[in-house]
Amino acid sequence: MLKFFRKIRQNLLNTNKVGKYLLYAVGEIILVVIGILIALSINNKNEERKAADYTNLLFRNTLKELKFNIEKANAKVAYFRFQNYCYYRIINKKATKDNYKLDGYAYLLFSGNAVELSDDTFQKLLNSDEKLTQEQDDLLSKLKLVYSNFKGEVDFLDTEIYEFIFDLHKKYKNEQPWYPNFISYQSISDDMVDYFLTDPEYINDATYFYTIGSAQQNNGVKKFRESAIITYAQLSHHLNIPPDTAIVKDLTGYRHYLGTYTSDNSTLHIKEEGNHFIQTVIDNNDSTKIEKLPLYLDSKTLFTNKQYYGNLTYDDDNKVKGMNFYRGGRKITWKKN
C-alpha cells in the first residue's frame, strides 16, 4: 500500500504536475488525520466499554453485598424474636427456673450479638471515578441512604450494647458469688436462678437491655432491612438479575394474611398494595387515629412491623383465626373477622 502511494507521488513529480501533487498531498494528510481520529474513536469507545463493564461489576458486587446484609439482618431479627419472647416472660415475671436452666434465659444479659453489616463493596462503588448513567446515579443515592443512615444507626447501637454488657460483667463480678463459676464453667446454680427470679435490680437490667437491644437495635435493623430490600429489588431490575425470592417474596402464597382483625380497642386491616402488605390500625374510640405500616413477612406464620413481632394463629381446620403482637412486656391479641 505504501509503495502504491509512493509511486503516485513520484509520477506526479516526474510529470511536473505540482498542483495535482499538492492536492494529492493534502488529501493524503486528510486521510491520515481521519485514520487517526477513527483509531482514537475506537480506542475511546473501548475505554468507555471497559469503564462501563467495571461500573457494572461494582454494582453487581454491591448487589451481592446487599443480599448478604439482608440475610444477616433477617438472622438478627429472628434472634431478636426469641429474645423478645424471653423478655416478655421476664418482665411480666412469668419466667421459670427451667427457663433459666434449660432454655438459655441465663445468658441473655451476658452476651451480645452485633449485626456487623458490611459495606466494603459499596465503598468501592462510592469512591469510583467512573461515569454513571442517570439510573445508576439514582441507585447510588438510594444505596447511600441505606448505608449512611440506617447502617450508621445499627453500628451505633452495636457499640451501645457492648458497652452495657461490659459494665454488667463488671457489676456482677464484684457483687455476685455465682459469677465466676457461671463465666468459667457455664454453671447455672440455684442461687443464680433465685437471683434472676426475685431481685428487682435484675428485672431493671433486663428491661434496659431489652430497650437498647430488642427494641432500639431491632428497630434499627428492621429499618435497614426494609430500605435494603427495596433497593435490592430495584438494583436487581437494573442489572437484569432475578431477585432472590427469599428476599423479594411472591405475595401469592401469603394472601391468607389479608383481612380484617379486631382487638378490644382497635380494628386492623391488612391489604395488598403494590408489592407490599400494608396494615392499617384504627382506634375504635377515635376513628381519626389511624396508623399505617408495612408488614414484613418472615414466613407463612411469622411477621414483623416497625414496632412489633407477630404470629398468626390457626383454628382446627388450619384457617387463620387471629394474630398476636409482641413487644417487650406487651402482648396484643387480634381476632380475624
Side-chain angles (χ1 to χ4, degrees):
M1 183 65 73
L2 290 174
K3 286 184 178 181
F4 174 75
F5 286 116
R6 194 179 299 121
K7 187 175 181 181
I8 292 175
R9 289 198 303 271
Q10 192 63 42
N11 287 337
L12 289 173
L13 287 173
N14 290 339
T15 56
N16 292 320
K17 296 180 180 179
V18 178
K20 288 186 178 181
Y21 172 79
L22 292 175
L23 183 62
Y24 165 81
V26 171
E28 187 174 342
I29 292 170
I30 292 173
L31 286 175
V32 170
V33 171
I34 290 172
I36 292 171
L37 292 175
I38 291 173
L40 287 173
S41 176
I42 292 172
N43 183 65
N44 288 339
K45 286 182 179 179
N46 286 336
E47 292 300 319
E48 289 174 0
R49 179 182 56 78
K50 289 178 182 178
D53 289 345
Y54 179 67
T55 301
N56 190 58
L57 177 63
L58 288 176
F59 273 104
R60 291 173 73 91
N61 288 340
T62 300
L63 180 70
K64 292 177 183 178
E65 184 176 64
L66 202 57
K67 178 177 180 288
F68 171 78
N69 284 329
I70 292 169
E71 290 169 345
K72 289 195 75 171
N74 283 339
K76 188 64 176 178
V77 168
Y79 178 70
F80 279 137
R81 184 186 297 279
F82 165 74
Q83 280 192 325
N84 191 77
Y85 176 73
C86 297
Y87 285 121
Y88 170 78
R89 293 181 61 79
I90 291 170
I91 293 169
N92 288 286
K93 299 181 179 180
K94 294 182 178 182
T96 65
K97 284 189 175 182
D98 283 346
N99 288 145
Y100 285 103
K101 288 206 165 188
L102 303 176
D103 300 332
Y105 283 35
Y107 300 94
L108 282 174
L109 270 64
F110 294 94
S111 59
N113 187 5
V115 187
E116 295 181 345
L117 299 169
S118 172
D119 67 348
D120 294 341
T121 304
F122 166 69
Q123 291 299 331
K124 288 181 181 178
L125 174 62
L126 187 62
N127 295 325
S128 171
D129 294 327
E130 305 299 341
K131 186 177 180 180
L132 302 180
T133 66
Q134 183 61 53
E135 185 178 2
Q136 288 172 335
D137 193 56
D138 291 343
L139 285 168
L140 184 60
S141 296
K142 292 172 182 177
L143 286 164
K144 286 179 184 177
L145 179 65
V146 171
Y147 283 101
S148 299
N149 288 18
F150 300 120
K151 179 182 179 297
E153 181 179 349
V154 173
D155 290 345
F156 171 78
L157 290 167
D158 279 351
T159 303
E160 287 282 298
I161 287 172
Y162 276 130
E163 288 178 354
F164 174 74
I165 292 172
F166 181 74
D167 291 340
L168 206 62
H169 275 274
K170 287 198 297 184
K171 182 177 82 168
Y172 286 134
K173 172 179 71 69
N174 296 327
E175 297 178 1
Q176 299 302 328
W178 44 258
Y179 179 84
N181 284 337
F182 173 64
I183 296 301
S184 300
Y185 308 109
Q186 287 75 55
S187 173
I188 303 173
S189 66
D190 288 339
D191 288 345
M192 180 181 181
V193 174
D194 287 341
Y195 173 82
F196 290 158
L197 289 172
T198 61
D199 195 287
E201 190 172 356
Y202 171 77
I203 303 297
N204 289 342
D205 287 336
T207 303
Y208 179 73
F209 194 53
Y210 161 78
T211 301
I212 62 172
S214 287
Q216 293 182 18
Q217 189 189 37
N218 172 50
N219 285 342
V221 171
K222 287 194 290 186
K223 284 190 288 185
F224 171 85
R225 181 177 67 170
E226 180 182 344
S227 178
I229 288 173
I230 293 171
T231 306
Y232 171 83
Q234 293 170 338
L235 186 52
S236 295
H237 178 74
H238 169 73
L239 295 170
N240 198 28
I241 296 175
D244 189 329
T245 55
I247 295 175
V248 181
K249 292 180 171 63
D250 179 0
L251 298 182
T252 304
Y254 295 85
R255 293 205 170 105
H256 55 285
Y257 275 88
L258 302 177
T260 300
Y261 301 76
T262 54
S263 68
D264 292 338
N265 302 311
S266 304
T267 299
L268 182 151
H269 303 282
I270 298 178
K271 296 181 179 180
E272 185 175 351
E273 296 184 11
N275 294 322
H276 304 280
F277 282 176
I278 303 296
Q279 67 166 55
T280 303
V281 181
I282 303 173
D283 190 321
N284 291 340
N285 299 315
D286 184 355
S287 60
T288 63
K289 292 184 177 180
I290 299 174
E291 184 179 41
K292 195 171 182 179
L293 296 169
L295 203 66
Y296 184 83
L297 309 173
D298 294 300
S299 71
K300 296 295 180 71
T301 297
L302 303 176
F303 62 90
T304 56
N305 61 25
K306 183 179 179 181
Q307 297 176 324
Y308 292 93
Y309 293 94
N311 66 277
L312 296 178
T313 57
Y314 299 86
D315 61 21
D316 293 337
D317 296 323
N318 204 34
K319 293 183 178 180
V320 176
K321 68 176 184 179
M323 61 172 55
N324 297 315
F325 284 6
Y326 295 93
R327 185 177 66 182
R330 187 181 184 192
K331 176 183 177 182
I332 305 174
T333 299
W334 303 82
K335 181 180 179 182
K336 190 171 188 180
N337 293 351

